């Protein structure tokens, strides 16, 4: 069993509230737009980190993290990318791979809109944790946490941090 904290779009921001939830997780997954790599340096010191770079991330972030991160957690195949789209409206750059090599869990960021939905066509769970940074149009900073146990994704929780100022 793994307790996962999923975040995205930190845009160089990390604070004690985020770190409190990091401490409660087994792993932290970051769906891009990290900003300053100090954010991921802090996260890596506390917990195992899986991350991708996003469209605002610089060359240094792109050297450290991939555009697509595909892996197995417990018995769940996972695909994290920053600009992935949504069921029925996936990014054209991933459509062929999505059909040929479908994950059980597809994660992206970028939109700053928290969304969790089941893709009936591909039989996968899609997650976007919204944005936990302070840059962007979102009004509430959000993250997701959930448990992966064997081939099950369960105990999903939305974490609303605070209204963005």
């Amino acid at each position: 069993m793994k307790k996962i904290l999923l975040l995205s779009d930190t845009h160089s921001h990390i604070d004690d509230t985020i770190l409190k939830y990091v401490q409660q997780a087994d792993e932290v997954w970051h769906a891009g737009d990290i900003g300053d790599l100090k954010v991921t340096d802090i996260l890596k010191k506390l917990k195992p980190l899986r991350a991708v770079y996003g469209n605002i991330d610089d060359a240094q972030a792109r050297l450290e993290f991939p555009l697509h991160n595909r892996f197995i957690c417990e018995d769940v195949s996972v695909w994290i990318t920053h600009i992935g789209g949504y069921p029925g409206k996936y990014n054209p750059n991933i459509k062929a791979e999505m059909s040929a090599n479908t994950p059980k869990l597809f994660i992206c960021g970028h939109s700053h809109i928290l969304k969790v939905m089941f893709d009936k066509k591909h039989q996968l769970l899609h997650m976007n944790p919204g944005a936990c940074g302070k840059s962007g149009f979102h009004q509430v900073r959000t993250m997701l946490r959930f448990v992966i146990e064997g081939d099950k994704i369960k105990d999903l929780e939305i974490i609303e941090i605070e209204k963005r100022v």
Side-chain angles (χ1 to χ4, degrees), residues 111-165:
S111 70
H112 293 219
I113 299 169
L114 185 145
K115 190 178 282 194
V116 177
M117 58 194 297
F118 188 73
D119 178 341
K120 291 180 185 177
K121 178 181 176 186
H122 293 97
Q123 294 295 300
L124 64 84
L125 184 61
H126 174 280
M127 290 185 187
N128 183 322
C132 64
K134 292 192 173 186
S135 297
F137 66 87
H138 57 284
Q139 296 300 306
V140 178
R141 297 170 51 220
T142 57
M143 302 182 293
L144 292 172
R145 71 176 168 183
F146 55 94
V147 170
I148 295 181
E149 185 170 11
D151 65 350
K152 305 282 188 268
I153 303 163
K154 62 183 194 173
D155 301 333
L156 176 66
E157 294 177 77
I158 294 169
I159 300 167
E160 292 185 346
I161 299 174
E162 64 185 7
K163 286 207 177 235
R164 189 177 61 81
V165 285

Side-chain angles (χ1 to χ4, degrees), residues 34-37 53-65:
I34 297 159
D36 192 320
L37 287 181
Y53 70 80
N55 57 293
I56 70 137
D57 292 318
D58 64 14
Q60 187 177 357
R62 291 165 192 244
L63 287 172
E64 186 166 346
F65 300 106

Side-chain angles (χ1 to χ4, degrees), residues 16 29 32 38 48 61 65 81-82 86 91 102 105 129 132 151 160:
D16 289 341
W29 298 353
K38 288 179 186 172
F65 300 106
T81 194
H82 185 62
Y86 295 100
N91 181 324
T102 306
L105 176 59
C132 64
D151 65 350
E160 292 185 346

Side-chain angles (χ1 to χ4, degrees), residues 11-23:
H11 291 264
S12 303
H13 179 78
I14 190 95
D15 59 33
D16 289 341
T17 303
I18 294 169
L19 295 175
K20 174 182 85 171
Y21 288 100
V22 168
Q23 293 289 2

Side-chain angles (χ1 to χ4, degrees), residues 55-122:
N55 57 293
I56 70 137
D57 292 318
D58 64 14
Q60 187 177 357
R62 291 165 192 244
L63 287 172
E64 186 166 346
F65 300 106
L67 174 62
H68 302 284
N69 194 343
R70 295 197 71 156
F71 56 93
I72 304 291
C73 180
E74 297 271 316
D75 296 323
V76 173
S77 59
V78 181
W79 181 356
I80 304 175
T81 194
H82 185 62
I83 303 175
Y86 295 100
K89 296 181 181 176
Y90 288 117
N91 181 324
N93 297 327
I94 67 163
K95 280 185 179 181
E97 179 69 15
M98 180 66 76
S99 294
N101 190 6
T102 306
K104 182 167 184 166
L105 176 59
F106 181 70
I107 296 169
C108 62
H110 186 62
S111 70
H112 293 219
I113 299 169
L114 185 145
K115 190 178 282 194
V116 177
M117 58 194 297
F118 188 73
D119 178 341
K120 291 180 185 177
K121 178 181 176 186
H122 293 97

